Every structure is written in C-alpha cells, then in structure tokens.
Amino acid sequence: MSTAKLTINLDALATNWRNLDALTTCETAAVVKANGYGLDAGRVGQALAKAGARNFFVAAAEEGVALRRAIGAGPGISVFSGHMEGDSKLLREFQLTPMLNSLDQMLRHFEVLPGHSFGVQLDTGMNRLGMEAAEWAAVRDIALGQQPVLLMSHLACADEPNHPMNAQQLQTFIELTNGLDVPRSLAATGGLLLGRNYHFDLCRPGIGLYGGLPFSDGLPVVQLDLPVIQTRDLDVGETVGYGNAWTAARPSRIATVAAGYADGLHRALGAGEIGVFAGQTRCPVVGRVSMDLITVDITDLADTPDHLTILDEQQTVDMLADAAGTIGYELLTSLGARYARSYTG
Amino acid sequence: MSTAKLTINLDALATNWRNLDALTTCETAAVVKANGYGLDAGRVGQALAKAGARNFFVAAAEEGVALRRAIGAGPGISVFSGHMEGDSKLLREFQLTPMLNSLDQMLRHFEVLPGHSFGVQLDTGMNRLGMEAAEWAAVRDIALGQQPVLLMSHLACADEPNHPMNAQQLQTFIELTNGLDVPRSLAATGGLLLGRNYHFDLCRPGIGLYGGLPFSDGLPVVQLDLPVIQTRDLDVGETVGYGNAWTAARPSRIATVAAGYADGLHRALGAGEIGVFAGQTRCPVVGRVSMDLITVDITDLADTPDHLTILDEQQTVDMLADAAGTIGYELLTSLGARYARSYTG
C-alpha cells in the first residue's frame, strides 16, 4: 500500500452547510460542480441532501447526470453552462434545469424541450456567463411567459468584500430582475458573507462547504496522509531530488513519501516553505516535488513515522494553496484520482 | 455537451516509443505511472504493447493492478515504490515486480513472497528512492542469491545534459553494479538522450512517449478542444472575470469556453501570455482562469467558432506548461477527469 490516503469528513461538510444556512433566511442550495470540488459529487450530494439541501448546482449536464444517479429523483439540479447543443436528452432524462445564458440557448430550449424547467443567468458585469442587459430586455417577456424557476447572476469580486464591483453588480441585478416575481439568486459563498442584501431567494455556496476561504469559520473537510516509503541518512553537502535542489546543511534524515504533483500536490509547493506533520511536529518538505514522490526532512523526529500528514486542521487547504501560489479552490479541485479515499460521517 | 474534448493520439504515442527505441541497442520499456501520465495507463499500455514494449513501470502496486487488467498476462510490470506493507497480495496475484528500495522492503519480500520476481533500486545520489551504497554492500550477496531481474537507479539532472551530476551518478551506478551479471537500467527519457553510456540493458522512457521535453523530436500526443458556451460584445473599459482582472482596451468580442483549473488548466495560465486557437488563428486568453471556464478575446475572428483549441501541435504541452510556470510533466498529469476523451490510432 503505497498510495496516499484522503479522508473526507462528511459531517464537517454538513456542518458547514448548516452554518452557512444559518446565516440566511432564504433557501441555501449547494454547488457541487467539478465533481463536488474534487471530493465526489455523489457522496457530497448525498450528505448535503441528508443535511437538508434541496437544490444543487453543477457546471455541465454530464455532471448533473452523475449527481442525479447518486441523489435520486427529488432534489433540483441546475446546470450553469445552460442548454448546450447535445444536452437536450440528458436534461430531459435526468430532470436537469439549465440556467440559460444566451438567446441561442433560450431558443434551443423552448424549441426542443418546451415546458421543461429552466432558469436564466444574467450578466451583471463579470462578462463570463449570462445574458447581457440588452439581450434580456429583448427576450424577457417571452422568457417570463415560460415561467423560469430562477433568475441568477454571479459576482466577480465577492471574495474582496470592499470591492466596489460588489455593490455595482447588486444594483445591476436589482435593475434587471425587480418586480418580475421570479425567485432570484446572486450569491455564492462570498456573496452570502456580504450580507442579507445579497441573498435574495436562494444562496448557493460552493467553496465554503468544503472548508475553504472566504468562509473563515468553515470546518476543514479533508485530511491527506502520505505513507513513508523509506528513509535515509544524509551527510552535510548531500543533495536531494531533481536538479539537486536541496542540500543538507547538517547531518539529516530524509523520508520519501508517496504522493506528488500527479496527485494535485503542485510542483510549486517545492519552492515554498511547506511542511508536513508527524502528529503536532512540523517537518519541512525539501527538494522538488516530483510526480509521485515528496522528500521530507525528519531529522528532528525521535521516531520514523509510517505516514506524514499534509492536509488537516493544522494545515488547511488554503494554507497549502498559498504556499503553491494559488487559491484553495484550485488546490481542492486538483486532488487526484490515485488516493485511497475514505468518507467519515 | 459542454465538456471539453481531449483526443489522445495512440499512433503518435507508439511512434514516439519506436523512435526512442531506435536510439538504443538495448531493451526499451515504458513508464506508464500516474495513470499513463494522465492519459489512461490501460489504453497507453495496450498501444505500447502492440508497438513492441515488453516491460512497463508504474509507481505503486495499485497502478500495476489496473495495468495488468488492461494488458493481460505476459508483459512485465515493475513497481518503483517497491514492496510496501499491504502490497504482497497484489504483487502475487497480478504478477508485479517490485523494485526493492530498502533493507526493510527486501526482508519483507524474501519472507512473504520467496521466489517472486523482484528488482533492486539503488540510490546513486538523488536521495529519493533506492538503497544507499552501504546498505547495498551489506545485502548484495543475499540479494544476488535470490536472482533479481533488474538493478536500477534514477538520474536527478538528466533533463540538463551538461549537469555534472549525470556523470557522477553514472560512475556510482557502475561501481555499485559492475560484474554482478544482472540486467541494469539507469535511464528514463533524459538519460536515454544522454547517449549509449547511460543505456545499459534497459531504458525506460516516460515523458518522451507522451510528446514532452526533453525528447524534442517527439510527436504531440494530445489535443484539447474547448467548446464555446457563449460570446458577448464589450465596450471599451468593461472588465472580464474574477477580480475584474482584464479590461477591454478596444471594442471586444469575448467567448466563454468550457474548461478551467478543475480540468488541469492551471489558474496560473491566466497571468501568462497564453492563447487558444481557431484553426491557425491565435486568440488571447483574457481574465482569470476560473474553475470551469476560460474567457477568450475573439475580436479578430471573422466568425464565431464552436470550439477553440488549447493543446495541439501548434501549442504543445510544454508551451502551455511554460506559460503556467511549470513543466510538461505536471501539465500532462493534471489533465482532469471531466473531459470527453477519445483515442485515435
């Protein structure tokens, strides 16, 4: 057994959902795109449905199919990318609700799946997904005649609470949707934390469920333990790993652990000041992160551990992401397929 | 259909193997760890076995199991991480050959699986995997008595042909193995390209098979096409994506395509000068790469394409990796599970 062990705490996930839900008086849905932020959309969806979530969001129809198979009929599943060519059969068979992003998508939907549930995504300034104001003005009455289940938009700067873009997008969203008597959603995790003005009828947290910032009160959901393959003693001046990137400045004991950048532990981590943990004791990663292996300085440990921990409540997803020069969202969704995964709760 | 399409050219893969094989007079094996560098070890293994490869290398016993199921009995499958606790049953049932890295592993192997095929990995200075010289001196005669099938080591700096570490590791490998009458292997792709002195009895290219540097004559193996979800027209001064990171300096047409960092297109790409292609025409990526989406400036295109290409012979894995501040090895092994994959050849 030389694969690393990824433990996913579904109780912590459900607690995060409940704690976010408690911050709102509206419905709280859950974003489980990118395979549940890398943690298995099916398992995540089941746990959140049990906790009380009744609506889920995915990026693509194909993701909706996998989720529907896991959580069964009943909960709503919405698709951010809308109704793409080739999606119609999946949307119908698996009761998926596309968030229509353009006139093209709307025409396709009304023609191919008349009467089938849909929402409309509006652009309020991010210029990534959703109808522009002029486009919406042109089709709004037709769309409303077909009874959309949701009008939604997405904030570009919600992780920066003081960014003026937030209020600007809020104002635009109000202008595009006021008085239309259709449920509305603007906020993901960041927007939910901006306060009630941003909540409307439905919040749809993603990253906060999984223990990531900007939800600083979130519980860590993942733990990642790396088995020690072997250890060796180095003399002063000996080097470790690719490019001889690290040189022993003292007599050192080095452990080689099983996981690397092919497992989503970014190669950039090797250039940072990152550690792994034996219990409470931090051991520095030394040398470059390679594809399947990481080398660690365990000189200060009294005993050789059988594993070292790189992600847990001591070293969170965001701390590791920061060391790799990225964000928790990317670190989480990069976690690879080679781990032995177990689910608690 | 809003998932991106990854096309893997198995003919190009097989050609790369044959062209590397033609540079040697020894046996040429194939490294298919990390799920065949992210391209499916089973499909890759089948194609390379058909091309003539008779020996394969994986990182962990679990990877060997998946490979054996795909390629059947016959070809050799070696495991770099050796014989870990809990591996014995897998090694026996799936005829996997561990490369023993330590005295601990050797004792385990001889006790639990006496007579079962094994090799020995020796450390020649990388200090990552393999027995140290003193350890090897102590157990060598016992090991030789059990008839190892391979003595191997790994170069730390083979991608830098002029690095003095190469000659130093070569010399150490010769000292540790000369006159022992056991087949030897030192070279992966980089070592193979260093010349005949480094070849011994078996070369084991990895990255070169998949079209990555340092094998500059390799054929590209992957093509990645991203479907366009929608387009929009921007006025001067409008911004795109998270953090308003990009601002239109001219009236611009923006396409949103389906793929993001959750698919292994690193977030760091958004900070670089990266483009995607409509046929031969390069269109700049603008704004931040988000989890499931990338935004592209298609102002200079006459027509709206239904997809844009981010990886092909025009823009290789190494070019994309360079823009993300990493190496082709990481880019390849990060390619995600959400793609619609097809195999040609």
Side-chain angles (χ1 to χ4, degrees):
Chain A
M1 183 65 175
S2 59
T3 54
K5 185 177 172 193
L6 183 68
T7 307
I8 294 128
N9 185 337
L10 296 174
D11 280 339
L13 175 88
T15 299
N16 288 338
W17 182 83
R18 283 193 204 93
N19 289 344
L20 286 163
D21 184 47
L23 298 176
T24 77
T25 54
C26 67
E27 176 172 3
T28 303
V31 177
V32 297
K33 61 192 175 74
N35 195 27
Y37 283 48
L39 303 184
D40 190 330
R43 298 297 296 260
V44 163
Q46 288 167 349
L48 293 175
K50 199 172 154 198
R54 303 306 297 158
N55 274 292
F56 296 87
F57 287 80
V58 295
E62 289 80 356
E63 292 192 323
V65 170
L67 181 62
R68 179 64 75 202
R69 287 185 168 131
I71 63 175
I77 301 177
S78 295
V79 181
F80 286 129
S81 61
H83 190 151
M84 297 278 287
E85 198 174 336
D87 280 351
S88 309
K89 188 162 179 284
L90 299 180
L91 296 175
R92 187 181 63 237
E93 283 188 19
F94 295 90
Q95 309 113 55
L96 309 176
T97 300
M99 300 289 111
L100 305 177
N101 289 297
S102 64
L103 177 59
D104 280 356
Q105 290 199 347
M106 190 169 278
L107 293 174
R108 179 180 297 128
H109 190 72
F110 293 168
E111 181 181 333
V112 183
L113 295 180
H116 184 97
S117 170
F118 72 98
V120 179
Q121 184 155 196
L122 302 168
D123 178 51
T124 52
M126 189 172 179
N127 286 312
R128 192 186 63 162
L129 282 182
M131 287 192 189
E132 296 289 306
E135 200 175 10
W136 176 231
V139 303
R140 190 184 56 199
D141 291 346
I142 298 168
L144 294 175
Q146 302 294 320
Q147 299 180 308
V149 297
L150 192 69
L151 301 178
M152 64 157 287
S153 189
H154 191 66
L155 297 168
C157 303
D159 290 1
E160 304 169 63
N162 297 319
H163 201 297
M165 186 72 171
N166 295 318
Q168 185 182 316
Q169 287 194 266
L170 175 62
Q171 183 57 34
T172 303
F173 189 60
I174 289 169
E175 288 165 10
L176 292 174
T177 61
N178 248 11
L180 299 183
D181 198 27
V182 179
R184 294 184 282 184
S185 176
L186 179 60
T189 300
L192 190 156
L193 298 171
L194 290 177
R196 292 283 160 91
N197 286 350
Y198 289 82
H199 292 183
F200 297 93
D201 303 292
L202 179 147
C203 289
R204 37 173 223 276
I207 188 72
L209 304 173
Y210 307 96
L213 291 175
F215 184 38
S216 53
D217 293 337
L219 302 176
V221 170
V222 293
Q223 175 165 334
L224 181 51
D225 299 310
L226 314 179
V228 174
I229 298 179
Q230 69 173 129
T231 61
R232 76 186 69 245
D233 294 312
L234 266 61
D235 295 329
V236 171
E238 284 196 78
T239 54
V240 171
Y242 282 116
N244 292 355
W246 185 83
T247 305
R250 58 171 180 171
S252 302
R253 189 162 181 76
I254 301 297
T256 302
V257 298
Y261 58 73
D263 304 294
L265 299 174
H266 293 212
R267 187 164 170 274
L269 285 170
E273 288 291 319
I274 197 70
V276 293
F277 288 82
Q280 310 287 307
T281 308
R282 183 180 181 282
C283 306
V285 167
V286 298
R288 291 194 193 150
V289 171
S290 53
M291 190 181 293
D292 319 293
L293 301 164
I294 293 174
T295 34
V296 180
D297 181 354
I298 61 164
T299 310
D300 296 332
L301 295 183
D303 303 303
T304 298
D306 64 0
H307 71 273
L308 291 157
T309 301
I310 193 164
L311 277 175
D312 64 0
E313 68 286 351
Q314 293 177 93
Q315 182 161 274
T316 65
V317 163
D318 285 285
M319 291 161 72
L320 201 61
D322 198 47
T326 187
I327 55 177
Y329 305 72
E330 181 166 26
L331 205 289
L332 260 182
T333 55
S334 300
L335 292 174
R338 197 158 49 169
Y339 297 122
R341 290 173 180 236
S342 63
Y343 292 81
T344 63
Chain B
M1 184 65 178
S2 59
T3 53
K5 186 177 172 192
L6 183 68
T7 306
I8 294 127
N9 185 338
L10 296 174
D11 280 340
L13 175 88
T15 299
N16 288 339
W17 182 83
R18 282 192 207 95
N19 288 344
L20 286 163
D21 184 48
L23 297 176
T24 76
T25 54
C26 67
E27 176 173 3
T28 302
V31 177
V32 297
K33 62 192 174 73
N35 194 28
Y37 284 48
L39 303 183
D40 188 331
R43 299 296 295 259
V44 162
Q46 288 167 349
L48 293 175
K50 199 171 153 199
R54 302 307 297 157
N55 274 292
F56 296 88
F57 288 80
V58 295
E62 289 81 354
E63 292 192 324
V65 171
L67 180 63
R68 178 64 75 203
R69 286 184 169 133
I71 64 175
I77 301 177
S78 296
V79 180
F80 285 129
S81 61
H83 189 153
M84 298 279 287
E85 198 174 337
D87 280 351
S88 307
K89 188 160 178 284
L90 299 181
L91 297 175
R92 188 183 61 238
E93 283 188 19
F94 295 89
Q95 309 112 54
L96 310 175
T97 301
M99 299 290 111
L100 304 177
N101 289 297
S102 64
L103 178 58
D104 280 356
Q105 291 199 347
M106 190 168 277
L107 292 175
R108 179 181 297 127
H109 190 72
F110 292 167
E111 181 181 333
V112 185
L113 295 180
H116 185 98
S117 169
F118 72 98
V120 179
Q121 184 155 194
L122 302 169
D123 178 51
T124 51
M126 188 172 179
N127 286 312
R128 191 184 64 161
L129 282 182
M131 287 194 189
E132 297 289 306
E135 200 176 8
W136 176 233
V139 302
R140 189 183 57 198
D141 290 346
I142 298 168
L144 294 175
Q146 301 295 319
Q147 298 179 306
V149 298
L150 193 70
L151 301 178
M152 63 158 288
S153 190
H154 192 65
L155 297 168
C157 304
D159 290 1
E160 303 169 62
N162 297 320
H163 201 297
M165 186 71 170
N166 295 317
Q168 186 181 316
Q169 287 194 267
L170 174 62
Q171 182 58 35
T172 302
F173 189 61
I174 289 169
E175 288 166 10
L176 293 174
T177 61
N178 248 10
L180 299 184
D181 199 26
V182 178
R184 294 184 282 182
S185 175
L186 178 60
T189 300
L192 188 156
L193 298 171
L194 291 177
R196 293 282 161 90
N197 286 350
Y198 289 83
H199 292 184
F200 297 94
D201 302 292
L202 179 147
C203 288
R204 37 173 221 275
I207 190 69
L209 303 174
Y210 307 96
L213 292 174
F215 183 40
S216 53
D217 292 336
L219 301 175
V221 170
V222 293
Q223 176 164 334
L224 181 52
D225 298 311
L226 314 179
V228 174
I229 298 179
Q230 69 173 131
T231 61
R232 74 186 71 245
D233 294 312
L234 266 62
D235 294 329
V236 172
E238 284 196 79
T239 53
V240 171
Y242 282 116
N244 293 355
W246 185 83
T247 305
R250 58 170 180 171
S252 301
R253 190 161 181 77
I254 300 297
T256 302
V257 298
Y261 58 73
D263 304 294
L265 299 175
H266 292 213
R267 186 164 171 274
L269 285 171
E273 289 291 318
I274 197 69
V276 293
F277 288 82
Q280 310 287 307
T281 307
R282 183 182 181 281
C283 307
V285 167
V286 297
R288 289 192 194 152
V289 171
S290 53
M291 191 181 292
D292 320 293
L293 301 164
I294 293 173
T295 33
V296 181
D297 181 354
I298 61 163
T299 310
D300 295 332
L301 295 184
D303 303 304
T304 298
D306 63 0
H307 71 273
L308 291 158
T309 302
I310 194 165
L311 277 176
D312 64 0
E313 69 285 351
Q314 292 177 93
Q315 181 161 273
T316 65
V317 162
D318 285 285
M319 291 162 73
L320 201 62
D322 198 48
T326 186
I327 54 176
Y329 304 73
E330 180 166 25
L331 205 289
L332 259 183
T333 56
S334 300
L335 292 174
R338 197 157 49 168
Y339 298 122
R341 290 175 179 234
S342 63
Y343 291 81
T344 63

